[in-house]
Amino acid sequence: MQTTPGNPRKPPTLADVAKLAGVSLATASKSLNGRQQVKAETRERVLSAAEQLNFSPNVLARHLLSGRSGTIGLVTHDLEGRFSIPTLMGAEDAAGTGKTSVLLCDARGDALREQYHVQALLGRRVDGLIVVGARPDPRPSLGQLPVPVVYAYAPSQDPADMSVVTDNLLGGRLVAEHLLTCGRTRVAIVTGDAGYGAAHDRVDGASAVLAEAGVEVLGGQALYGSWTEEWGRTAAGLLISRFDDVDAIVCGSDQIARGVLDTLRESGRRVPEDVAVTGHDNWEILALNARPQLTSIDMNLEELGRRAAALLFDAIEGNPHSGTEVIPSRLVPRGSTGPKPA
Amino acid sequence: MQTTPGNPRKPPTLADVAKLAGVSLATASKSLNGRQQVKAETRERVLSAAEQLNFSPNVLARHLLSGRSGTIGLVTHDLEGRFSIPTLMGAEDAAGTGKTSVLLCDARGDALREQYHVQALLGRRVDGLIVVGARPDPRPSLGQLPVPVVYAYAPSQDPADMSVVTDNLLGGRLVAEHLLTCGRTRVAIVTGDAGYGAAHDRVDGASAVLAEAGVEVLGGQALYGSWTEEWGRTAAGLLISRFDDVDAIVCGSDQIARGVLDTLRESGRRVPEDVAVTGHDNWEILALNARPQLTSIDMNLEELGRRAAALLFDAIEGNPHSGTEVIPSRLVPRGSTGPKPA
DNA sequence: TTGTAAGCGTTATCAC
DNA sequence: GTGATAACGCTTACAA
């Protein structure tokens, strides 16, 4: 880890190693790369020379030759937000295992900035691109690029592109099934901005399962509002005044659920005995600190990121895919749901 | 943006551009780089050829020559957490403005993984490194590396290294001053894990200001616990039972403050009329959804990231710095604090 | 004003 | 087994 004394700036090159070991460049290269065409003793000499110089091969030079950079670009639109981070971790995970690194850019929801970053990444000769959206609705395609692209979280509008998304329908189904199992029949749904396709999908998933069991959503439809605790508090107030016998509230996000829980507690309803509550996203900072802890849907975002990376690597290897792949969500049961007392 | 038809895989090179424009490699290069030694008309021809081929120069090759990669490495330990993200955004911001890109790695708090990533980044010939810690306490130095390193959020234990940290003492002072201005004199402090140096710093900052004003912390010292809402709820219960006249509670984090707010509300105390409450971190998801919205300390993490990047770039330019630079925090007043009613 | 050629640090293809 | 040598795509003296 020490800088070579007397040579403070430039890292040692393979030529330095070769010279020190008293061999040619070619032999040094072969030795370090585990080629079979060198005598064990020679290899040993080269290795120790490399060790001594603390040599680390210049990956740029290597890739100049191979045509691949060993690098993928990750363009996110939601770095400050909640959803891109696990996705990014999954991708970084999948990439880091091998020998590729991740170049990160945050486009902050701006198409122009995205364009700029994509160009910069292409100039760096990334082998592929993962684009992580800020919200789950379909987004415009980047079009034909010289390298494969995978759209994560927010799918591309072009079905010829590769996309990986969460399963919002399933999320809805899972909570509904869980609540039915708990014996709930007076079920309301509170969710966020009606402009989000995902909000509708989750509602549809839940409604379908409930309908199959002969249960109709209280009020005949979900309450749309915003993704905030405030709306959760308001909506819960509306619900208990209109439907005194409500015994379950499905929330479109953990934030909404937190608000719902607060209003229920303050109105004297017990959770989960009187009313069961479910969230969505499994944002632990909210779910684990709730009273009681919140049953929620985990979208497996990290898995989504890993899968996106895996698809990308496969495409880079020459096996392109297309269409939208859906990552199943899973239910995380906690204290806010449970069997309805007799 | 279209792939050149018939040449689907390899991006066009400068040679392609030169050939199409009917000039030599050198002339093409000069034209594209704005060198003055080419006739305007020739340059025009080259530019349009480049345009036509959708040429983007291979940055790897360029940097192989210049010795710099135009890349910095960002090793974080807290990708899933709250603190590294804004720092990362600031750094990415500062870098992206120029022509350097950010290679991201998540070491997940593991020293070995960190070591591994650092080596990988050095192999990629990053021009410098920013290491973002998971918690604000000093961490072991990476030692002497061939490129400059800046430690962000968690400073290096070695004062010869460059570090950029938040000002926890100031954070404490700011809330104390604010509360005194509000006319509060019965002030308690609830904070998190006593194992965090930052927790003590914040307490010390607040205590000092209060002492200057002749106000002693209720109970003579801060209550240490954990960084959770649960602890906030518990601590608030303790406080109001022991000090019925408490009129302000300084919390070590927004999470703790959320818990404190809940207990106060449920015990019938009005916030801020009866008790003023302050948080720390200005985590908007918590602060803005609180009832009332939470007065908090913003550590200016994005600025911290920008500053770290600026220091790094300067060091890369040949102006190394050393020691720890402190980024001032700022108070964000909201509804949870206000003047004490007469 | 333009072109030729050397070189950046590797790897791969050959001779030896 | 080993070592020249030619790439890879670009910049930059230096020559024309």
Side-chain angles (χ1 to χ4, degrees):
Chain A
M1 194 61 51
Q2 286 290 124
T3 303
T4 312
N7 180 13
R9 278 286 146 241
K10 292 214 123 195
T13 79
L14 186 58
D16 298 330
V17 177
K19 181 153 39 148
L20 181 59
V23 299
S24 75
L25 230 71
T27 307
S29 173
K30 286 171 196 156
S31 307
L32 291 174
N33 292 312
R35 290 272 174 289
Q36 287 313 324
Q37 322 145 341
V38 296
K39 189 158 56 176
E41 188 220 330
T42 315
R43 156 163 308 146
E44 203 48 55
R45 199 144 34 90
V46 172
L47 254 45
S48 81
E51 175 89 4
Q52 191 176 332
L53 293 174
N54 185 26
F55 169 76
S56 91
N58 186 330
V59 182
L60 274 61
R62 187 177 358 232
H63 288 111
L64 180 53
L65 219 22
S66 74
R68 283 195 195 163
S69 67
T71 285
I72 65 171
L74 194 7
V75 180
T76 175
H77 283 281
D78 179 42
L79 200 44
E80 69 206 301
R82 148 105 177 98
F83 301 114
S84 63
I85 302 303
T87 312
L88 196 160
M89 286 182 71
E92 208 256 327
D93 197 31
T97 323
K99 38 208 334 67
T100 62
S101 301
V102 174
L103 276 166
L104 179 75
C105 298
D106 183 12
R108 292 162 209 209
D110 179 6
L112 250 61
R113 211 191 301 257
E114 176 177 271
Q115 198 56 40
Y116 170 82
H117 278 138
V118 167
Q119 283 308 322
L121 289 169
L122 290 177
R124 286 217 137 69
R125 292 298 184 269
V126 291
D127 299 330
L129 235 35
I130 297 179
V131 182
V132 186
R135 40 181 288 184
D137 291 304
R139 48 150 290 153
S141 172
L142 283 173
Q144 179 89 7
L145 291 187
V147 297
V149 183
V150 174
Y151 298 83
Y153 195 59
S156 165
Q157 282 161 357
D158 184 346
D161 289 331
M162 277 186 286
S163 303
V164 189
V165 300
T166 60
D167 194 338
N168 291 297
L169 267 168
L170 178 60
R173 302 184 69 88
L174 288 173
V175 291
E177 282 163 9
H178 177 62
L179 291 172
L180 288 172
T181 304
C182 293
R184 312 287 166 161
T185 54
R186 302 290 294 163
V187 182
I189 304 182
V190 179
T191 189
D193 187 339
Y196 279 63
H200 294 278
D201 290 344
R202 293 172 194 173
V203 168
D204 291 348
S207 305
V209 167
L210 292 174
E212 286 163 22
V215 174
E216 200 200 355
V217 174
L218 284 192
Q221 58 175 354
L223 298 178
Y224 289 86
S226 64
W227 306 105
T228 61
E229 292 190 39
E230 171 73 35
W231 164 239
R233 294 192 289 262
T234 306
L238 289 173
L239 284 172
I240 54 186
S241 69
R242 263 187 77 192
F243 308 102
D244 186 63
D245 61 343
V246 55
D247 65 10
I249 302 181
V250 172
C251 301
S253 77
D254 290 341
Q255 283 197 72
I256 293 173
R258 284 291 298 252
V260 166
L261 284 179
D262 280 355
T263 294
L264 289 176
R265 184 179 333 102
E266 286 159 23
S267 74
R269 314 262 168 155
R270 294 167 307 164
V271 176
E273 293 83 352
D274 301 330
V275 186
V277 175
T278 65
H280 193 289
D281 299 344
N282 194 29
W283 196 352
E284 299 205 335
I285 196 76
L286 296 175
L288 294 180
N289 283 294
R291 281 176 298 168
Q293 292 192 337
L294 193 57
T295 293
S296 190
I297 292 291
D298 190 306
M299 297 185 287
N300 289 321
L301 289 171
E302 211 165 322
E303 174 59 22
L304 188 152
R306 265 193 296 271
R307 189 64 196 136
L311 274 175
L312 184 62
F313 293 147
D314 203 36
I316 292 171
E317 297 300 332
N319 311 310
H321 302 247
S322 68
T324 297
E325 185 166 315
V326 179
I327 304 295
S329 305
R330 70 176 198 275
L331 181 83
V332 182
R334 296 201 184 88
S336 70
T337 55
K340 186 167 188 176
Chain B
M1 193 62 53
Q2 286 290 121
T3 303
T4 311
N7 180 13
R9 277 286 147 242
K10 293 213 122 193
T13 78
L14 186 57
D16 298 330
V17 176
K19 180 153 36 145
L20 181 60
V23 298
S24 75
L25 235 78
T27 308
S29 173
K30 287 170 195 156
S31 306
L32 291 173
N33 291 312
R35 289 273 175 290
Q36 287 312 324
Q37 323 146 348
V38 295
K39 190 158 57 177
E41 188 221 329
T42 314
R43 156 163 312 152
E44 203 49 53
R45 199 144 33 90
V46 172
L47 253 44
S48 82
E51 175 89 3
Q52 192 176 331
L53 292 174
N54 186 26
F55 169 76
S56 91
N58 187 330
V59 183
L60 272 61
R62 193 188 333 241
H63 288 110
L64 181 53
L65 242 343
S66 74
R68 281 194 194 164
S69 68
T71 284
I72 65 171
L74 193 8
V75 181
T76 176
H77 283 282
D78 180 40
L79 200 44
E80 69 206 301
R82 148 103 177 100
F83 300 115
S84 63
I85 303 304
T87 312
L88 198 161
M89 287 182 71
E92 208 255 326
D93 197 32
T97 323
K99 38 206 339 60
T100 63
S101 301
V102 175
L103 276 166
L104 179 75
C105 298
D106 184 11
R108 292 162 208 207
D110 179 6
L112 249 61
R113 210 191 302 254
E114 176 177 271
Q115 198 56 38
Y116 170 82
H117 278 138
V118 166
Q119 284 308 321
L121 289 168
L122 290 177
R124 288 216 135 70
R125 293 298 185 267
V126 292
D127 299 330
L129 235 36
I130 298 180
V131 182
V132 186
R135 39 180 288 184
D137 291 304
R139 49 150 289 152
S141 172
L142 283 173
Q144 179 89 9
L145 290 187
V147 296
V149 183
V150 174
Y151 298 82
Y153 196 60
S156 166
Q157 282 160 357
D158 184 344
D161 288 330
M162 278 187 285
S163 302
V164 189
V165 300
T166 60
D167 194 339
N168 291 297
L169 266 168
L170 177 62
R173 302 182 70 88
L174 287 174
V175 290
E177 282 162 10
H178 177 63
L179 292 171
L180 288 172
T181 304
C182 292
R184 312 288 166 161
T185 54
R186 305 289 294 162
V187 181
I189 303 181
V190 179
T191 190
D193 188 337
Y196 279 62
H200 295 278
D201 291 344
R202 293 171 194 174
V203 169
D204 291 348
S207 305
V209 167
L210 293 174
E212 286 163 21
V215 173
E216 201 199 353
V217 174
L218 286 190
Q221 59 176 353
L223 299 179
Y224 289 87
S226 64
W227 305 105
T228 62
E229 293 190 38
E230 170 73 34
W231 164 239
R233 295 192 288 261
T234 307
L238 289 173
L239 284 173
I240 55 186
S241 68
R242 262 185 78 190
F243 308 101
D244 186 63
D245 61 343
V246 56
D247 64 10
I249 303 181
V250 173
C251 301
S253 78
D254 290 340
Q255 283 198 71
I256 294 173
R258 285 290 299 252
V260 165
L261 283 178
D262 280 354
T263 293
L264 289 176
R265 182 178 335 103
E266 285 160 22
S267 74
R269 314 263 169 156
R270 294 168 306 163
V271 176
E273 294 83 352
D274 300 331
V275 186
V277 176
T278 65
H280 194 288
D281 299 345
N282 194 30
W283 196 351
E284 298 206 336
I285 196 75
L286 296 175
L288 293 181
N289 282 295
R291 281 177 297 168
Q293 292 193 337
L294 192 58
T295 294
S296 191
I297 292 291
D298 190 306
M299 297 186 286
N300 290 322
L301 289 171
E302 210 166 323
E303 172 60 22
L304 188 153
R306 265 194 296 273
R307 189 65 194 136
L311 274 174
L312 184 62
F313 292 147
D314 203 36
I316 291 172
E317 296 300 331
N319 311 309
H321 302 246
S322 69
T324 296
E325 185 167 313
V326 179
I327 304 294
S329 305
R330 70 175 199 276
L331 181 84
V332 181
R334 296 201 185 89
S336 71
T337 55
K340 186 167 185 174

